Amino acid sequence: MVYRTVQTAAHRIASIQQFLVWAADPLGRGRRSEDDIVSPEELQAYRSRLKATFEPLRKAQGKSTRPDPLTQEQDELLEGILSPLGLREGVISFGKFPTENPFQPATKLRTWILYSLLRHHGLRRGEALKLKVQDVDTVGDPKIRIRRRPNDPDDSRAPAPRVKGMESVVPLSRDVANGIKSYMSDFRLPGHRCKGTNYVFTTRRGTPLSTSYATRIFRILRKRHPMLDGVTPHALRHTWAEEMASHLFEEKGDSEEVISLLREAGRWKPGSNMPQHYVQNAIQSETNKIIRQRQNRFDD
């Protein structure tokens, strides 16, 4: 059997271990005959052997690999392909996109907004897909509200996207806020009214955009542009986190304060060690920069 992810394999291994522990205990199975009696010492010894056998497998299979951040070339290519014309010049046309953009005219603005939320605002894929119309505020200081909404009766997707982190309010750039406003009023896909969904991102049929559909967007990009190999929704957030950690470290300098600020910005739960990971990378990057500067003085 081939599992789709190492995390799935780890869950299966844990289930097998739990079953064997249960099967070894007659009382736990409801059997009470004298032939089935196992002493507590024997049962404990058996459980210890199971743990010694399975724990290394669970740890090995449960290790997750973090994606590499986008290279500068990938970042620039993706930005150039997906962004509406005039973005860099400050005169944006939300109905016009580069010819290299591989998507249908009706979906190009939606794709750019989704990309921008992941890459430049640090949203997780699930957080973006769970956004509802009422979560978006484009008036005054534009912002979006991240809400968890477990078991939402409005969500017909299977499996439904999940918001894994903490709830929060995320400031929006003015360009993306204007893009969302244009998308909602002029370009939002036909059919959403008859379907009655209040999710921001919808398909052309008006149904909420699924996780697999969002992933497919990046598969299309990788196929059209081999340089984008390895670019996924999670890689975009990873790039944002690396960039944000470096910026905060340059501004603040104190690693503990930076970890706290990054945890808040990235909506990580209190027990997560991800902010420390990104800050350590930022410190290493700053250290390498200082070393290179010293080496350049000697070379001169």
Side-chain angles (χ1 to χ4, degrees), residues 127-266:
E127 291 173 337
L129 295 179
K130 291 291 279 187
L131 283 176
K132 291 188 174 183
V133 174
Q134 60 266 33
D135 297 330
V136 182
D137 184 359
T138 59
V139 180
D141 294 327
K143 54 186 172 293
I144 54 176
R145 296 172 180 84
I146 306 298
R147 297 287 182 259
R148 294 182 62 86
R149 296 191 180 99
N151 305 315
D152 186 357
D154 293 336
D155 200 339
S156 60
R157 292 167 286 191
R162 292 189 301 151
V163 175
K164 297 180 180 180
M166 307 293 288
E167 293 189 346
S168 182
V169 176
V170 179
L172 278 178
S173 71
R174 177 56 62 184
D175 287 338
V176 173
N178 289 336
I180 292 176
K181 186 185 298 184
S182 180
Y183 168 68
M184 299 292 288
S185 61
D186 301 325
F187 292 91
R188 195 169 182 227
L189 307 181
H192 73 278
R193 292 185 179 85
C194 66
K195 294 289 183 181
T197 182
N198 56 358
Y199 284 101
V200 171
F201 294 106
T202 62
T203 66
R204 281 183 287 182
R205 292 178 298 171
T207 56
L209 199 69
S210 67
T211 300
S212 60
Y213 201 109
T215 301
R216 179 172 172 267
I217 290 173
F218 293 89
R219 188 163 62 245
I220 292 172
L221 288 166
R222 294 194 299 271
K223 184 176 181 180
R224 295 290 184 91
H225 301 276
M227 183 188 291
L228 297 178
D229 181 51
V231 174
T232 63
H234 187 49
L236 297 186
R237 173 176 160 86
H238 186 61
T239 305
W240 168 86
E242 293 273 359
E243 190 174 82
M244 181 62 69
S246 295
H247 174 74
L248 289 172
F249 188 74
E250 290 177 2
E251 288 288 321
K252 302 297 182 180
D254 180 76
S255 60
E256 290 302 318
E257 183 180 5
V258 172
I259 289 172
S260 177
L261 292 171
L262 187 61
R263 185 183 301 279
E264 179 71 20

Side-chain angles (χ1 to χ4, degrees), residues 291-300:
I291 291 173
R292 283 193 296 269
Q293 290 173 349
R294 287 179 58 82
Q295 289 173 341
N296 289 338
R297 288 206 302 269
F298 286 117
D299 292 340
D300 293 341

Side-chain angles (χ1 to χ4, degrees), residues 48-65:
S48 298
R49 289 196 298 273
L50 282 178
K51 183 175 181 180
T53 301
F54 280 89
E55 283 301 305
L57 295 174
R58 291 177 61 179
K59 290 179 180 179
Q61 292 293 330
K63 290 180 180 177
S64 61
T65 55

